[in-house]
Amino acid sequence: DTGVSQNPRHKITKRGQNVTFRCDPISEHNRLYWYRQTLGQGPEFLTYFQNEAQLEKSRLLSDRFSAERPKGSFSTLEIQRTEQGDSAMYLCASSAPGDHEQYFGPGTRLTVT
Amino acid sequence: KQEVTQIPAALSVPEGENLVLNCSFTDSAIYNLQWFRQDPGKGLTSLLLIQSSQREQTSGRLNASLDKSSGRSTLYIAASQPGDSATYLCAVRRRGSNYKLTFGKGTLLTVNP
């Protein structure tokens, strides 16, 4: 068990480009969460999956954002037509059935220039 | 809407001192409360999770308490060390099927040798 992993760790992109991040949860964790953290703030919830089903989406998740979790394993978060306001740390977490503790990955830092 | 506040925003102490970090939340209908540590530019490390039915949890030099009725939690760190320097975040999960965490902005702790 190597913990939650996220790739890439850093991404620099130009405004208007599309980006995709990947999260691999801890093995056998059925719930997967995405959060966004800007400088000096706590993480804010974006969305979460139970197995392959996306059960909740925050209003922060505009139409430019889409998340998937095919086959209930890894998850991807895509941002289309990036804006400078999208610059943030994107954090992924997972939790096991019956365990309410969320375990976080190292995050992907996105910089939109 | 749940709001989580952490006081102080920053704290600087000499090595060896005992200290208390505070967390307050506006909606007492919580399922659990989790304390995290975040090093600069890194992801979150879970420190302690307290279920709503519990009053406190301990791990090594850390002790977290929960007073749900007053909407408060404290994280006590005994015999602080320079390696404890980090941002400490508290997060609450609302009662019900909603699994998302609502975070405070964190307390930046510096322990001086």
Side-chain angles (χ1 to χ4, degrees), chain A residues 9 31 33 35 37 40-43 45 48 50 56 89 91 100-102 104-106 109, chain B residues 31-32 34 36 38 41-44 46 49 51 89 93 97-101 103-105:
Chain A
R9 296 292 306 278
R31 295 194 184 93
Y33 315 81
Y35 293 83
Q37 185 178 28
Q41 304 294 315
F45 171 80
Y48 100 92
Q50 181 164 306
E56 186 174 354
M89 175 79 89
L91 295 162
H100 304 290
E101 191 163 358
Q102 294 188 21
F104 281 75
R109 179 163 295 284
Chain B
Y31 191 88
N32 61 39
Q34 207 166 342
F36 295 89
Q38 186 173 34
K42 306 290 186 182
L44 278 63
S46 179
L49 181 145
Q51 301 290 356
L89 295 152
R93 179 193 151 188
S97 60
N98 185 323
Y99 287 88
K100 75 177 187 182
L101 295 177
F103 284 83
K105 293 184 179 182

Short mmCIF file of all heavy atoms in Angstrom, two decimals, chain A residues 9 31 33 35 37 40-43 45 48 50 56 89 91 100-102 104-106 109, chain B residues 31-32 34 36 38 41-44 46 49 51 89 93 97-101 103-105:
data_model
loop_
_atom_site.label_atom_id
_atom_site.label_comp_id
_atom_site.label_asym_id
_atom_site.label_seq_id
_atom_site.Cartn_x
_atom_site.Cartn_y
_atom_site.Cartn_z
N ARG A 9 2.73 16.02 -10.74
CA ARG A 9 2.83 16.77 -9.50
C ARG A 9 2.74 18.26 -9.76
O ARG A 9 2.24 19.02 -8.93
CB ARG A 9 4.13 16.43 -8.80
CG ARG A 9 4.24 14.98 -8.34
CD ARG A 9 3.25 14.68 -7.20
NE ARG A 9 3.42 15.61 -6.11
CZ ARG A 9 4.33 15.51 -5.17
NH1 ARG A 9 5.19 14.50 -5.18
NH2 ARG A 9 4.41 16.41 -4.21
N ARG A 31 -14.22 4.94 -2.13
CA ARG A 31 -14.59 6.35 -2.28
C ARG A 31 -13.38 7.18 -2.67
O ARG A 31 -12.30 7.00 -2.12
CB ARG A 31 -15.22 6.89 -1.00
CG ARG A 31 -16.54 6.22 -0.67
CD ARG A 31 -17.32 6.96 0.39
NE ARG A 31 -18.54 6.22 0.71
CZ ARG A 31 -18.62 5.34 1.70
NH1 ARG A 31 -17.57 5.10 2.47
NH2 ARG A 31 -19.74 4.70 1.92
N TYR A 33 -12.26 11.33 -3.68
CA TYR A 33 -12.67 12.73 -3.56
C TYR A 33 -11.65 13.63 -4.27
O TYR A 33 -10.46 13.37 -4.26
CB TYR A 33 -12.70 13.14 -2.09
CG TYR A 33 -13.37 12.16 -1.15
CD1 TYR A 33 -12.68 11.05 -0.68
CD2 TYR A 33 -14.69 12.34 -0.73
CE1 TYR A 33 -13.27 10.14 0.17
CE2 TYR A 33 -15.29 11.44 0.14
CZ TYR A 33 -14.56 10.34 0.58
OH TYR A 33 -15.16 9.44 1.44
N TYR A 35 -10.51 17.77 -4.27
CA TYR A 35 -10.57 19.06 -3.60
C TYR A 35 -9.65 20.02 -4.33
O TYR A 35 -8.69 19.62 -4.99
CB TYR A 35 -10.11 18.96 -2.14
CG TYR A 35 -10.99 18.15 -1.22
CD1 TYR A 35 -10.88 16.76 -1.16
CD2 TYR A 35 -11.93 18.76 -0.40
CE1 TYR A 35 -11.68 16.01 -0.31
CE2 TYR A 35 -12.74 18.02 0.46
CZ TYR A 35 -12.60 16.64 0.50
OH TYR A 35 -13.39 15.91 1.34
N GLN A 37 -7.32 23.61 -3.58
CA GLN A 37 -6.79 24.49 -2.54
C GLN A 37 -6.02 25.64 -3.17
O GLN A 37 -5.06 25.42 -3.91
CB GLN A 37 -5.88 23.70 -1.60
CG GLN A 37 -5.37 24.51 -0.42
CD GLN A 37 -4.50 23.69 0.52
OE1 GLN A 37 -3.85 22.74 0.12
NE2 GLN A 37 -4.47 24.07 1.80
N GLY A 40 -3.18 29.99 0.91
CA GLY A 40 -3.68 30.57 2.15
C GLY A 40 -5.07 30.13 2.55
O GLY A 40 -5.62 30.62 3.55
N GLN A 41 -5.64 29.21 1.78
CA GLN A 41 -6.98 28.72 2.07
C GLN A 41 -6.96 27.23 2.40
O GLN A 41 -6.01 26.53 2.05
CB GLN A 41 -7.91 28.95 0.87
CG GLN A 41 -7.98 30.40 0.41
CD GLN A 41 -8.63 31.30 1.44
OE1 GLN A 41 -9.66 30.97 2.02
NE2 GLN A 41 -8.01 32.45 1.69
N GLY A 42 -8.02 26.77 3.04
CA GLY A 42 -8.17 25.33 3.22
C GLY A 42 -8.70 24.71 1.93
O GLY A 42 -9.25 25.41 1.08
N PRO A 43 -8.55 23.41 1.78
CA PRO A 43 -9.10 22.74 0.59
C PRO A 43 -10.62 22.91 0.52
O PRO A 43 -11.31 22.95 1.53
CB PRO A 43 -8.73 21.27 0.81
CG PRO A 43 -7.55 21.31 1.73
CD PRO A 43 -7.80 22.48 2.64
N PHE A 45 -14.08 21.29 -1.37
CA PHE A 45 -14.60 20.09 -2.00
C PHE A 45 -15.05 20.38 -3.44
O PHE A 45 -15.70 21.39 -3.71
CB PHE A 45 -15.78 19.56 -1.19
CG PHE A 45 -16.55 18.45 -1.84
CD1 PHE A 45 -16.09 17.15 -1.79
CD2 PHE A 45 -17.75 18.71 -2.50
CE1 PHE A 45 -16.80 16.12 -2.38
CE2 PHE A 45 -18.46 17.69 -3.10
CZ PHE A 45 -17.99 16.39 -3.04
N TYR A 48 -17.11 13.84 -5.51
CA TYR A 48 -16.66 12.57 -5.00
C TYR A 48 -17.37 11.41 -5.70
O TYR A 48 -18.47 11.57 -6.25
CB TYR A 48 -16.78 12.49 -3.48
CG TYR A 48 -17.98 11.76 -2.91
CD1 TYR A 48 -17.90 10.41 -2.62
CD2 TYR A 48 -19.15 12.44 -2.62
CE1 TYR A 48 -18.97 9.75 -2.06
CE2 TYR A 48 -20.23 11.79 -2.06
CZ TYR A 48 -20.14 10.44 -1.78
OH TYR A 48 -21.20 9.78 -1.23
N GLN A 50 -18.30 7.15 -5.45
CA GLN A 50 -18.36 5.88 -4.75
C GLN A 50 -18.31 4.82 -5.83
O GLN A 50 -19.23 4.72 -6.65
CB GLN A 50 -19.61 5.75 -3.90
CG GLN A 50 -19.67 4.43 -3.14
CD GLN A 50 -20.69 4.45 -2.03
OE1 GLN A 50 -20.67 5.32 -1.17
NE2 GLN A 50 -21.60 3.49 -2.04
N GLU A 56 -21.69 13.37 -5.95
CA GLU A 56 -21.89 14.76 -5.59
C GLU A 56 -20.89 15.65 -6.32
O GLU A 56 -19.73 15.29 -6.49
CB GLU A 56 -21.75 14.97 -4.09
CG GLU A 56 -22.11 16.40 -3.66
CD GLU A 56 -22.13 16.59 -2.16
OE1 GLU A 56 -21.99 15.60 -1.43
OE2 GLU A 56 -22.28 17.74 -1.73
N MET A 89 -3.81 24.13 -6.11
CA MET A 89 -3.39 22.75 -5.86
C MET A 89 -4.64 21.89 -5.92
O MET A 89 -5.63 22.19 -5.25
CB MET A 89 -2.74 22.65 -4.48
CG MET A 89 -2.38 21.24 -4.06
SD MET A 89 -0.87 20.67 -4.82
CE MET A 89 0.32 21.23 -3.59
N LEU A 91 -6.18 18.40 -5.05
CA LEU A 91 -5.91 17.30 -4.12
C LEU A 91 -6.92 16.17 -4.31
O LEU A 91 -8.11 16.43 -4.50
CB LEU A 91 -5.99 17.78 -2.67
CG LEU A 91 -4.94 18.80 -2.25
CD1 LEU A 91 -5.37 19.53 -0.99
CD2 LEU A 91 -3.60 18.12 -2.01
N HIS A 100 -14.19 6.14 7.76
CA HIS A 100 -14.57 7.51 7.38
C HIS A 100 -13.38 8.44 7.30
O HIS A 100 -13.55 9.61 7.02
CB HIS A 100 -15.59 8.02 8.39
CG HIS A 100 -16.77 7.10 8.50
ND1 HIS A 100 -17.68 6.98 7.49
CD2 HIS A 100 -17.14 6.23 9.46
CE1 HIS A 100 -18.60 6.08 7.85
NE2 HIS A 100 -18.29 5.61 9.03
N GLU A 101 -12.18 7.92 7.51
CA GLU A 101 -11.00 8.76 7.44
C GLU A 101 -10.58 8.90 5.98
O GLU A 101 -10.51 7.91 5.24
CB GLU A 101 -9.87 8.13 8.25
CG GLU A 101 -8.67 9.01 8.46
CD GLU A 101 -7.78 8.52 9.58
OE1 GLU A 101 -8.12 7.50 10.21
OE2 GLU A 101 -6.73 9.15 9.82
N GLN A 102 -10.32 10.12 5.56
CA GLN A 102 -9.90 10.38 4.20
C GLN A 102 -8.37 10.52 4.17
O GLN A 102 -7.80 11.24 4.99
CB GLN A 102 -10.57 11.64 3.65
CG GLN A 102 -12.08 11.47 3.50
CD GLN A 102 -12.75 12.64 2.80
OE1 GLN A 102 -12.12 13.41 2.08
NE2 GLN A 102 -14.06 12.76 3.02
N PHE A 104 -5.14 11.60 1.88
CA PHE A 104 -4.87 12.50 0.78
C PHE A 104 -3.58 12.15 0.04
O PHE A 104 -2.62 11.65 0.63
CB PHE A 104 -4.77 13.95 1.27
CG PHE A 104 -6.10 14.59 1.51
CD1 PHE A 104 -6.86 14.26 2.62
CD2 PHE A 104 -6.62 15.51 0.61
CE1 PHE A 104 -8.10 14.83 2.84
CE2 PHE A 104 -7.86 16.09 0.82
CZ PHE A 104 -8.60 15.75 1.93
N GLY A 105 -3.59 12.48 -1.26
CA GLY A 105 -2.39 12.37 -2.07
C GLY A 105 -1.56 13.64 -1.98
O GLY A 105 -1.94 14.59 -1.28
N PRO A 106 -0.43 13.69 -2.70
CA PRO A 106 0.48 14.83 -2.63
C PRO A 106 -0.02 16.05 -3.40
O PRO A 106 0.52 17.15 -3.24
CB PRO A 106 1.76 14.30 -3.25
CG PRO A 106 1.29 13.24 -4.19
CD PRO A 106 0.10 12.61 -3.54
N ARG A 109 -0.08 20.61 -8.55
CA ARG A 109 -0.10 22.08 -8.56
C ARG A 109 -0.23 22.56 -9.99
O ARG A 109 0.63 22.28 -10.82
CB ARG A 109 1.15 22.66 -7.92
CG ARG A 109 1.15 24.19 -7.95
CD ARG A 109 2.12 24.82 -7.01
NE ARG A 109 1.82 24.57 -5.62
CZ ARG A 109 0.85 25.17 -4.93
NH1 ARG A 109 0.08 26.05 -5.52
NH2 ARG A 109 0.68 24.90 -3.66
N TYR B 31 -20.67 14.51 11.61
CA TYR B 31 -20.44 13.06 11.74
C TYR B 31 -19.09 12.81 12.38
O TYR B 31 -18.95 11.94 13.23
CB TYR B 31 -20.50 12.42 10.36
CG TYR B 31 -20.54 10.92 10.41
CD1 TYR B 31 -21.73 10.22 10.51
CD2 TYR B 31 -19.35 10.18 10.34
CE1 TYR B 31 -21.76 8.85 10.56
CE2 TYR B 31 -19.36 8.81 10.40
CZ TYR B 31 -20.56 8.15 10.50
OH TYR B 31 -20.58 6.78 10.56
N ASN B 32 -18.09 13.56 11.95
CA ASN B 32 -16.76 13.46 12.56
C ASN B 32 -15.96 14.72 12.27
O ASN B 32 -16.38 15.58 11.49
CB ASN B 32 -16.01 12.22 12.09
CG ASN B 32 -15.76 12.18 10.59
OD1 ASN B 32 -15.46 13.20 9.97
ND2 ASN B 32 -15.87 11.00 10.00
N GLN B 34 -11.77 15.87 11.61
CA GLN B 34 -10.44 15.33 11.31
C GLN B 34 -9.42 16.45 11.37
O GLN B 34 -9.67 17.55 10.85
CB GLN B 34 -10.47 14.69 9.90
CG GLN B 34 -9.48 13.59 9.67
CD GLN B 34 -9.76 12.78 8.39
OE1 GLN B 34 -10.85 12.80 7.82
NE2 GLN B 34 -8.76 12.05 7.94
N PHE B 36 -5.56 17.58 10.26
CA PHE B 36 -4.53 17.27 9.28
C PHE B 36 -3.32 18.16 9.50
O PHE B 36 -3.41 19.26 10.03
CB PHE B 36 -5.03 17.52 7.85
CG PHE B 36 -6.15 16.64 7.39
CD1 PHE B 36 -7.47 17.01 7.61
CD2 PHE B 36 -5.89 15.46 6.72
CE1 PHE B 36 -8.51 16.21 7.18
CE2 PHE B 36 -6.93 14.64 6.28
CZ PHE B 36 -8.24 15.03 6.52
N GLN B 38 -0.17 19.84 7.08
CA GLN B 38 0.26 20.08 5.69
C GLN B 38 1.59 20.80 5.70
O GLN B 38 1.71 21.91 6.23
CB GLN B 38 -0.79 20.90 4.92
CG GLN B 38 -0.46 21.05 3.45
CD GLN B 38 -1.57 21.72 2.65
OE1 GLN B 38 -2.27 22.59 3.16
NE2 GLN B 38 -1.74 21.30 1.40
N GLY B 41 3.69 23.19 0.23
CA GLY B 41 3.64 22.63 -1.11
C GLY B 41 3.32 21.16 -1.18
O GLY B 41 3.45 20.54 -2.24
N LYS B 42 2.87 20.59 -0.07
CA LYS B 42 2.61 19.14 -0.03
C LYS B 42 1.13 18.85 0.19
O LYS B 42 0.32 19.75 0.38
CB LYS B 42 3.42 18.50 1.12
CG LYS B 42 4.89 18.80 1.09
CD LYS B 42 5.58 18.11 -0.06
CE LYS B 42 7.09 18.30 0.02
NZ LYS B 42 7.79 17.68 -1.12
N GLY B 43 0.81 17.57 0.16
CA GLY B 43 -0.54 17.15 0.45
C GLY B 43 -0.81 17.14 1.95
O GLY B 43 -0.01 17.63 2.74
N LEU B 44 -1.95 16.57 2.33
CA LEU B 44 -2.37 16.54 3.73
C LEU B 44 -2.08 15.19 4.37
O LEU B 44 -2.31 14.15 3.74
CB LEU B 44 -3.88 16.81 3.82
CG LEU B 44 -4.36 18.25 3.76
CD1 LEU B 44 -4.04 18.91 2.44
CD2 LEU B 44 -5.86 18.31 4.03
N SER B 46 -3.21 12.93 7.57
CA SER B 46 -4.21 12.82 8.62
C SER B 46 -3.53 12.56 9.96
O SER B 46 -2.65 11.71 10.07
CB SER B 46 -5.18 11.68 8.30
OG SER B 46 -6.14 11.55 9.33
N LEU B 49 -8.73 11.52 13.90
CA LEU B 49 -10.14 11.61 13.53
C LEU B 49 -10.95 11.36 14.79
O LEU B 49 -10.71 10.39 15.51
CB LEU B 49 -10.48 10.58 12.45
CG LEU B 49 -11.92 10.58 11.96
CD1 LEU B 49 -11.99 10.25 10.47
CD2 LEU B 49 -12.79 9.60 12.75
N GLN B 51 -14.84 10.82 16.07
CA GLN B 51 -16.25 10.62 15.73
C GLN B 51 -17.10 11.55 16.60
O GLN B 51 -16.68 11.96 17.68
CB GLN B 51 -16.65 9.17 15.96
CG GLN B 51 -15.85 8.16 15.16
CD GLN B 51 -16.15 8.20 13.68
OE1 GLN B 51 -17.01 8.93 13.20
NE2 GLN B 51 -15.42 7.40 12.92
N LEU B 89 -4.67 21.84 9.80
CA LEU B 89 -6.02 22.08 9.29
C LEU B 89 -7.01 21.18 10.02
O LEU B 89 -6.72 20.01 10.28
CB LEU B 89 -6.09 21.76 7.80
CG LEU B 89 -5.25 22.65 6.88
CD1 LEU B 89 -4.85 21.90 5.62
CD2 LEU B 89 -6.06 23.89 6.49
N ARG B 93 -17.00 16.68 8.76
CA ARG B 93 -17.91 16.00 7.85
C ARG B 93 -19.30 16.08 8.45
O ARG B 93 -19.51 15.78 9.62
CB ARG B 93 -17.50 14.55 7.66
CG ARG B 93 -18.45 13.80 6.72
CD ARG B 93 -18.28 12.30 6.75
NE ARG B 93 -19.54 11.64 6.44
CZ ARG B 93 -19.74 10.35 6.53
NH1 ARG B 93 -18.77 9.54 6.94
NH2 ARG B 93 -20.91 9.83 6.24
N SER B 97 -25.49 11.35 4.50
CA SER B 97 -24.79 10.60 3.45
C SER B 97 -23.75 11.43 2.73
O SER B 97 -23.04 10.96 1.86
CB SER B 97 -25.80 10.07 2.43
OG SER B 97 -26.49 11.16 1.84
N ASN B 98 -23.66 12.70 3.11
CA ASN B 98 -22.70 13.58 2.48
C ASN B 98 -21.30 13.32 3.04
O ASN B 98 -21.08 13.47 4.24
CB ASN B 98 -23.11 15.03 2.77
CG ASN B 98 -22.25 16.04 2.07
OD1 ASN B 98 -21.06 15.85 1.92
ND2 ASN B 98 -22.88 17.11 1.63
N TYR B 99 -20.37 12.93 2.18
CA TYR B 99 -19.05 12.57 2.67
C TYR B 99 -18.03 13.70 2.58
O TYR B 99 -16.90 13.54 3.01
CB TYR B 99 -18.52 11.37 1.88
CG TYR B 99 -19.22 10.08 2.25
CD1 TYR B 99 -20.39 9.68 1.61
CD2 TYR B 99 -18.72 9.27 3.25
CE1 TYR B 99 -21.03 8.51 1.97
CE2 TYR B 99 -19.35 8.09 3.61
CZ TYR B 99 -20.50 7.72 2.96
OH TYR B 99 -21.14 6.55 3.30
N LYS B 100 -18.40 14.83 2.04
CA LYS B 100 -17.40 15.86 1.83
C LYS B 100 -16.94 16.46 3.16
O LYS B 100 -17.68 16.50 4.13
CB LYS B 100 -17.95 16.97 0.94
CG LYS B 100 -18.94 17.89 1.62
CD LYS B 100 -19.35 19.00 0.66
CE LYS B 100 -20.22 20.03 1.36
NZ LYS B 100 -20.67 21.10 0.43
N LEU B 101 -15.69 16.90 3.16
CA LEU B 101 -15.12 17.59 4.30
C LEU B 101 -15.15 19.10 4.06
O LEU B 101 -14.89 19.55 2.95
CB LEU B 101 -13.67 17.15 4.53
CG LEU B 101 -13.45 15.70 4.94
CD1 LEU B 101 -11.95 15.39 5.05
CD2 LEU B 101 -14.14 15.39 6.25
N PHE B 103 -13.27 22.43 5.36
CA PHE B 103 -12.01 22.76 6.02
C PHE B 103 -11.99 24.19 6.55
O PHE B 103 -12.63 25.09 5.99
CB PHE B 103 -10.84 22.64 5.03
CG PHE B 103 -10.42 21.23 4.74
CD1 PHE B 103 -11.08 20.47 3.79
CD2 PHE B 103 -9.34 20.66 5.40
CE1 PHE B 103 -10.69 19.17 3.51
CE2 PHE B 103 -8.93 19.37 5.13
CZ PHE B 103 -9.61 18.62 4.18
N GLY B 104 -11.18 24.39 7.60
CA GLY B 104 -10.79 25.72 8.00
C GLY B 104 -9.60 26.16 7.16
O GLY B 104 -9.08 25.40 6.33
N LYS B 105 -9.14 27.40 7.40
CA LYS B 105 -8.01 27.91 6.63
C LYS B 105 -6.67 27.45 7.19
O LYS B 105 -5.63 27.64 6.56
CB LYS B 105 -8.04 29.43 6.59
CG LYS B 105 -9.21 30.00 5.81
CD LYS B 105 -9.12 31.51 5.73
CE LYS B 105 -10.28 32.06 4.92
NZ LYS B 105 -10.20 33.54 4.80
#
